[in-house]
Amino acid sequence: MPQSPQNIMITGGAGFIGSHVVRLFVNKYPESKIVNVDKLTYAGNLNNLKDIENKPNYKFIKADIADLDKMREIIRENDITGIIHLAAESHVDRSIKDPFTFARTNVMGTLALLQAAKEYWDTFADKYDGKLFYHISTDEVYGALEITNPEGVKAPFTTKASADDHMAFGVEFFTETTKYDPHSPYSASKASSDHFVRAYHDTYDLPTIVTNCSNNYGPYQFPEKLIPLFINNILQGRNLPVYGKGENVRDWLFVEDHARAIDLIFHEGKPGDTYNIGGFNEWKNIELIKVLIKTVDKLTGKPEGTSDHLITYVTDRLGHDMRYAIDSRKLQEELGWEPSLQFEEGIEKTVKWYLDNKDWVDNVTSGDYEKYYDKMYSNR
Ligand code: NAD
Ligand code: TYD
């Protein structure tokens, strides 16, 4: 298992979760070299890393993970011994419109990275000792769960029921052994990439770990996903497009808690294993949206209820998965991880961040940053 210091490549480090992981590793492991490899798609933004971009142990390389020769070169030239792979196309609605981009990046990109890592690590006398390929995946690969128990009674989501309450109620959870059953092009591409990672472990003994996490929220999330999109829309007085009846259930985790789990698993996880990451925090979309509205109105000094009228029910997403819910007891019991924040605290922290960083939101919604980076990196 890899011990710092070492040379760690983090892919997708300019994205939402990746930027939190890069920041944590650069600050926590000053003796390690952290190489952030990112293509800077619409979702990648170097403004997410302004506070650490000049640290001596940090390096950014603009590259496409599906470019096998480039991955070989980066891994060799930087003597990479650990990889934390987050780069991906990540938005379900985009995958419904453009599945091919998802297959290219998520499947072929992951395969290129696995192959490049294997080839380089094969050149070491001690081969795979101290090396690790850590693949970040999603709970969406497991498919969708019911929102009722076997008697057909709806579970008490959002009533601050504890994990034990939910378990006792008899609704199902995703565990590490739940059979894969992806429905969207996004989850199908992530499932496929997970299979390739496990195939490299089972066939070549490559030391790999896969983690499947629930929905993340927090600072620096691109405002196309539910929480940042709705915070922004409430601030602008724009409609909140709730898909279907708003009854779908998601399990939400604060992004810094995910980053802490990744750090722990990278250093203490067992190669060949899978860990589910989640905080037992399920919310029906419409209930979560009401909390968001209340929090934004409160923090902007508006009377409670001011923005309720923005809720607008729209046509449902195609193939919309009903419920995701992670059982993370393996991670909690084996490695001692637990989430640090209650959901209401996390939401308040997130709304405050978006209020304090309006420039960041204006920038990513105006497309200015894409033009800027196109110009800046076009010749590299
Ligand atoms: P994101 O869309 O915010 O960021 C993805 C990053 O990958 C961007 O910086 C983008 O530029 C980069 N990228 C995309 N294609 C690339 C390519 N071909 N080559 C190099 N870089 C490329 O995504 P996120 O929400 O931060 O998710 C990160 C990872 O975590 C993904 O693998 C995702 O599947 C997984 N995940 C996300 C969530 C969530 O709720 N956001 C939950 C569980 C797992
Ligand atoms: P999203 O943030 O896209 O994450 P995922 O689809 O990966 O879970 O969506 C979270 C939930 O919110 C999902 O049930 C779809 C719903 N949703 C809306 O109702 N309206 C929206 O505009 C968006 C983006 C999502």
Side-chain angles (χ1 to χ4, degrees), residues 12 14-18 37-41 43-44 63-65 86-90 104-105 136-138 186 190 213-216 221 225:
F16 166 48
I17 303 172
V37 175
D38 198 298
K39 186 181 173 184
L40 298 181
T41 66
D64 182 346
I65 55 161
L86 296 110
E89 289 292 338
S90 68
R104 185 187 174 280
T105 288
I136 308 298
S137 192
T138 166
Y186 164 64
K190 291 297 290 187
C213 189
S214 61
N215 285 59
N216 284 215
Q221 188 168 30
K225 305 273 168 68

Side-chain angles (χ1 to χ4, degrees), residues 124-367:
F124 284 68
D126 58 1
K127 235 183 147 173
Y128 300 151
D129 273 8
K131 320 286 190 306
L132 183 66
F133 188 104
Y134 177 0
H135 177 61
I136 308 298
S137 192
T138 166
D139 60 358
E140 306 192 20
V141 297
Y142 297 123
L145 295 164
E146 299 290 334
I147 58 170
T148 57
N149 71 6
E151 285 84 51
V153 183
K154 283 197 178 175
F157 303 116
T158 80
T159 55
K160 296 193 185 161
S162 69
D164 287 344
D165 290 343
H166 271 98
M167 296 279 176
F169 193 77
V171 289
E172 263 189 307
F173 284 76
F174 296 136
T175 72
E176 286 81 1
T177 54
T178 300
K179 197 165 153 282
Y180 274 31
D181 183 22
H183 299 137
S184 73
Y186 164 64
S187 53
S189 68
K190 291 297 290 187
S192 173
S193 65
D194 296 7
H195 289 320
F196 271 107
V197 175
R198 294 197 179 99
Y200 267 65
H201 175 266
D202 295 349
T203 308
Y204 309 112
D205 277 338
L206 197 78
T208 61
I209 288 181
V210 178
T211 55
N212 299 84
C213 189
S214 61
N215 285 59
N216 284 215
Y217 70 98
Y220 299 108
Q221 188 168 30
F222 194 84
E224 63 181 356
K225 305 273 168 68
L226 179 74
I227 290 182
L229 176 73
F230 278 31
I231 293 174
N232 197 29
N233 282 10
I234 299 165
L235 291 173
Q236 313 267 336
R238 285 203 296 255
N239 285 344
L240 307 175
V242 180
Y243 297 160
K245 294 186 180 142
E247 296 226 311
N248 303 65
V249 173
R250 295 292 182 265
D251 186 356
W252 295 94
L253 183 67
F254 191 62
V255 63
E256 289 175 12
D257 282 331
H258 189 189
R260 279 194 308 106
I262 290 172
D263 176 25
L264 181 68
I265 293 164
F266 181 75
H267 289 98
E268 292 180 30
K270 195 164 141 252
D273 261 23
T274 297
Y275 299 86
N276 278 357
I277 308 175
F280 291 103
N281 179 43
E282 290 175 67
W283 286 78
K284 205 191 278 180
N285 286 344
I286 191 65
E287 300 295 336
L288 177 147
I289 291 160
K290 285 180 189 159
V291 173
L292 266 185
I293 293 175
K294 203 168 149 190
T295 311
V296 175
D297 280 349
K298 183 181 93 181
L299 293 176
T300 51
K302 295 188 189 126
E304 194 172 330
T306 305
S307 303
D308 289 354
H309 70 282
L310 298 175
I311 292 178
T312 311
Y313 291 93
V314 299
T315 312
D316 208 353
R317 173 187 277 172
L318 294 176
H320 196 173
D321 286 339
M322 184 46 85
R323 170 175 169 250
Y324 303 142
I326 278 279
D327 179 349
S328 61
R329 283 177 299 177
K330 174 177 172 181
L331 173 62
Q332 307 206 356
E333 285 161 19
E334 283 185 18
L335 300 185
W337 172 89
E338 54 180 44
S340 67
L341 282 183
Q342 290 294 315
F343 188 59
E344 283 84 349
E345 280 176 80
I347 283 293
E348 186 146 336
K349 224 172 144 173
T350 304
V351 172
K352 276 192 184 134
W353 187 87
Y354 281 92
L355 284 172
D356 292 344
N357 290 276
K358 284 190 180 139
D359 289 353
W360 183 90
V361 179
D362 290 347
N363 194 235
V364 300
T365 46
S366 75

